[in-house]
Amino acid sequence: MLDYLIERFGHMMGKHCELMLFAHNCSYDFAFISSLLDNYTYVTAGTSMVCATATYKGKKIVLRNTYKTIPMRLSKFAKCFSLGSVRKEVMPYDLYRSHEDAHRMHPLEQCLAALETEEDREQFKINVNEWEIINGSGEVDLWEYSARYCKADCLVLRAGYLKFRKLLHEITRLDLDA
């Protein structure tokens, strides 16, 4: 992922520029990438990370915890910021909590049983059919579902953060990212 970001945006990064990454719980994300980073430092508040800075292949990277700026669940962003069709997706999290269940394909019924509400189960069925990730045997490709779920989270976070930043700027004339 970091190689892709540096390749895609590195030409925009001058000598003193940085790649700024946003995560709605950056402690979790940082745990996955910290072993790849050099010279990292981070700031915490209580038990959670506020931000981190590091270098990766000579490029400065900043990771910011948007939850510290907007302390609400991503699932509330669409309504709070009037994001239209952008919304948080549903996920059968319990299927990811053990290594025994880390295989790719799961029966649809097992996925549905791992969801808490009927609304979530209906949305999951819509998703797997629209995304064409259920096979003829009724098994769901959870690796592909996870990828789509993560992408949806990124879209929700981006849209909500940009809307919050715009609203804050309109009221205070301050740029949250300056």
Side-chain angles (χ1 to χ4, degrees), residues 22-163:
F22 297 88
H24 210 54
N25 175 3
C26 71
S27 300
Y28 179 81
D29 299 86
F30 186 74
F32 284 99
I33 64 171
S34 61
S35 64
L36 304 172
L37 303 174
D38 297 315
N39 307 314
Y40 66 79
T41 60
Y42 53 88
V43 176
T44 59
T47 59
S48 63
M49 184 180 291
V50 176
C51 64
T53 59
T55 56
Y56 178 75
K57 297 187 176 180
K59 300 289 187 180
K60 184 177 179 183
I61 295 176
V62 176
L63 181 61
R64 294 193 34 199
N65 187 350
T66 55
Y67 190 81
K68 289 297 186 183
T69 306
I70 310 170
M72 75 171 65
R73 298 171 63 96
L74 280 180
S75 60
K76 296 184 178 191
F77 271 39
K79 184 175 181 182
C80 179
F81 298 117
S82 301
L83 300 180
S85 64
V86 176
R87 65 180 164 73
K88 174 104 171 108
E89 287 300 344
V90 299
M91 173 63 82
Y93 295 108
D94 288 344
L95 296 180
Y96 291 92
R97 301 225 164 122
S98 72
H99 293 292
E100 295 82 36
D101 284 326
H103 53 280
R104 185 173 193 140
M105 304 303 288
H106 285 264
L108 176 61
E109 293 307 316
Q110 184 182 16
C111 297
L112 297 175
L115 295 165
E116 292 183 15
T117 68
E118 186 59 34
E119 181 181 352
D120 286 353
R121 288 187 280 278
E122 288 304 314
Q123 187 59 55
F124 188 86
K125 286 191 270 187
I126 291 168
N127 291 348
V128 298
N129 285 303
E130 281 183 6
W131 298 344
E132 299 177 350
I133 56 173
I134 186 166
N135 66 21
S137 302
E139 295 176 314
V140 177
D141 182 340
L142 278 188
W143 292 1
E144 181 61 29
Y145 191 92
S146 291
R148 304 273 184 116
Y149 173 86
C150 289
K151 183 176 181 178
D153 266 11
C154 291
L155 295 173
V156 170
L157 177 58
R158 181 181 188 277
Y161 183 82
L162 290 175
K163 183 79 175 263

